[in-house]
Each structure stands twice: as C-alpha cells, then as structure tokens.
Amino acid sequence: MQFRQIRNATLKINYAGKKFLIDPWLAGKGAIPGFGGTINDHIRNPTAELPIPVSEIVDVDAVILTHDHPDHWDDTARQAIRKDIPFFVQHEKDAQAVRSAGFNNVRLLDENTDYEGITLIKTPGQHGRPKVLEDMKALLGEVSGVVFKHPDEKTFYIAGDTVWCQAVEDSLNKYHPDIVVLNSCDAQVIGNESIIMGKQDIYEVYKAVPEATVIASHMEAVNHATLTRKELHEFLREKAMTQRVLVPEDGESYTF
C-alpha cells in the first residue's frame, strides 16, 4: 500500500490496487475565513497551499468522508470530483449532504463494507474531551474513522477527528492495525479545549500499538492548530518515538 499526505486530513491511499481519496479539502490557501468558535479564528483557511494539482488529487477510484465538516471537504472538492464516484460516508445524515452536492453513488460505511474485495470498517471516535463535547455538541457532531483490510495488505486504520479515548483504544485492540493515522495538530476551540489529538494522545496510541507504525496527519493547515511539526518532532525525540512515528510533510508519500 501507499500513503500520501496531501494537506490537513486529506490523504491519497493506494490499497490493494484501488486509489482512495480521504476527506478532500481542496480550497486554495486563505480561501475560507477562520472557523468561528475556535482559537485564532482571525486567520484564514487553509493556512497552507496544496502540494499537487487538484486534478491529480481527484484521480482516484473512491472517496471516503470521515465526517461532514468544512475542513474535510468543501466546494472545490464538490466541483472537482466526478459525481458518479463511489463515495463512502459514516451515516445517512452525511449521505444526504453528499447527495445534495450532486453525487449519485453514495454508500454508507458499516462494520463490514466490501469495496472491490477490500473490507472497509467504520470505527467510532470522540471529537473532543467530554466537557467540550457537552458545550459544543452541535458544532462538533459525530465523527468516524475507518479500517482497511485485505489479505494482501497490511491492516490500515485512519482514526479520524478524535482524541485518545476508549473508542480508539477499543478499535486498536479489536483490529490490531499495522499502520495508524492520527489527526494530530491539537486543534482547539475557544477556552483551549482540544478537539483532536495532541502530543500526549499520540503517545498513548504509540504505547497501545507497540508493533505498529503511527502517522501524524492533519498538521499545520487550519487556523485552530496548536501543535506544529517542529514541536512534535522534538517531543518524539524526547520520548524516543522516532522509529515508529512518522510526521509527513504535505505531499510526502510512504510505501508499506
């Protein structure tokens, strides 16, 4: 399999001969206002350019949207992706949003979704600590991750927009992934409340999967990110985690 970091949570995955686009957020740098209710909302999004042309990004066989948030897909993606592509979402509410954008091959993920011989497994997540979820439930909403399985490939788990929580730990214990992708920029809402993983969350995952490779994604692309790649690299060196934790630059690829 091949993993390619595009930008933010947007990934291209070549798995068992099929190309997947994950969470396509394709707007140009600074095209969108900062997200209300988050820190540094005066900064426009995305805060980084795309590393490759949109036409190359959308040259895929299928799309997976982990949840319907404006930094996971946008109008540029809606216009650039072909409307008949298999488009996987977490539940019917997100399916309706995707269909309303003109897509006609929208499919729901479940615990055993088959796509061309590849098993796609929806996993739960928690988009923030309990307090922030209680205060901002409507804004943060439901989120999901996905596990990829195939007899000829390593088991691959994208955790999605979640903090370290029981749901993530349960998924790690159940599916024993060889490769784990974590959204890791410690994005925060007003009040300094984290809504996705930061350094300590990554450390907890690292300890929970002693044989797996961990990839830190969703870095340095949104106004409310508080953890930089530089700071994360320093933390990984301090904890002697560098051999198993990768921090890709936008555009960087790995083959497993």
Side-chain angles (χ1 to χ4, degrees):
M1 65 160 289
Q2 185 181 67
F3 164 98
R4 188 169 193 183
Q5 176 69 45
I6 303 301
R7 181 187 63 189
N8 204 51
T10 307
L11 313 172
K12 279 190 78 171
I13 308 299
N14 194 326
Y15 192 88
K18 293 296 179 182
K19 294 180 290 185
F20 294 85
L21 179 59
I22 314 298
D23 289 345
W25 191 40
L26 306 181
K29 181 180 179 180
I32 304 165
F35 298 123
T38 70
I39 66 170
N40 298 322
D41 63 0
H42 62 284
I43 298 173
R44 294 185 66 84
N45 290 306
T47 61
E49 294 284 9
L50 287 170
I52 58 176
V54 169
S55 59
E56 183 178 345
I57 296 170
V58 301
D59 179 19
V60 294
D61 299 300
V63 177
I64 298 174
L65 181 65
T66 60
H67 65 297
D68 180 18
H69 273 185
D71 64 330
H72 288 253
W73 82 308
D74 59 6
D75 285 340
T76 306
R78 293 177 183 94
Q79 294 166 14
I81 298 168
R82 60 184 175 87
K83 295 299 186 287
D84 63 343
I85 199 166
F87 203 125
F88 294 91
V89 297
Q90 64 174 336
H91 51 38
E92 184 58 33
K93 181 181 177 182
D94 284 5
Q96 291 175 9
V98 175
R99 291 190 196 105
S100 71
F103 293 90
N104 56 37
N105 192 2
V106 183
R107 310 181 189 186
L108 300 185
L109 290 167
D110 57 28
E111 291 189 358
N112 189 28
T113 301
D114 178 78
Y115 173 67
E116 303 290 337
I118 300 165
T119 300
L120 302 173
I121 303 164
K122 184 178 75 170
T123 60
Q126 182 179 309
H127 205 344
R129 315 290 176 202
K131 181 181 184 302
V132 70
L133 284 181
E134 183 179 340
D135 294 343
M136 304 183 71
K137 182 177 181 181
L139 176 65
L140 295 171
E142 294 181 67
V143 294
S144 69
V146 60
V147 172
F148 293 65
K149 297 188 74 173
H150 187 275
D152 298 331
E153 295 280 14
K154 295 180 182 296
T155 299
F156 178 62
Y157 171 38
I158 299 172
D161 268 14
T162 183
V163 295
W164 170 250
C165 61
Q166 191 64 53
V168 172
E169 185 174 5
D170 290 347
S171 293
L172 296 173
N173 291 333
K174 183 174 183 178
Y175 300 111
H176 305 287
D178 302 291
I179 302 144
V180 181
V181 178
L182 305 177
N183 291 351
S184 304
C185 70
D186 197 6
Q188 296 184 8
V189 296
I190 292 171
N192 303 111
E193 293 281 355
S194 299
I195 57 174
I196 63 173
M197 293 197 186
K199 294 183 291 188
Q200 191 60 40
D201 303 81
I202 297 167
Y203 185 46
E204 295 301 329
V205 174
Y206 174 86
K207 291 186 295 182
V209 283
E211 304 298 323
T213 298
V214 177
I215 303 175
S217 181
H218 202 312
M219 301 291 293
E220 298 182 340
V222 288
N223 68 269
H224 51 319
T226 65
L227 177 62
T228 65
R229 289 183 173 101
K230 180 177 184 293
E231 184 181 352
L232 179 54
H233 278 301
E234 291 171 353
F235 176 81
L236 298 178
R237 285 192 293 269
E238 291 170 4
K239 294 286 190 180
M241 296 166 61
T242 56
Q243 288 192 328
R244 284 200 296 114
V245 182
L246 304 173
V247 188
E249 297 294 326
D250 291 349
E252 190 169 0
S253 297
Y254 307 121
T255 300
F256 300 99

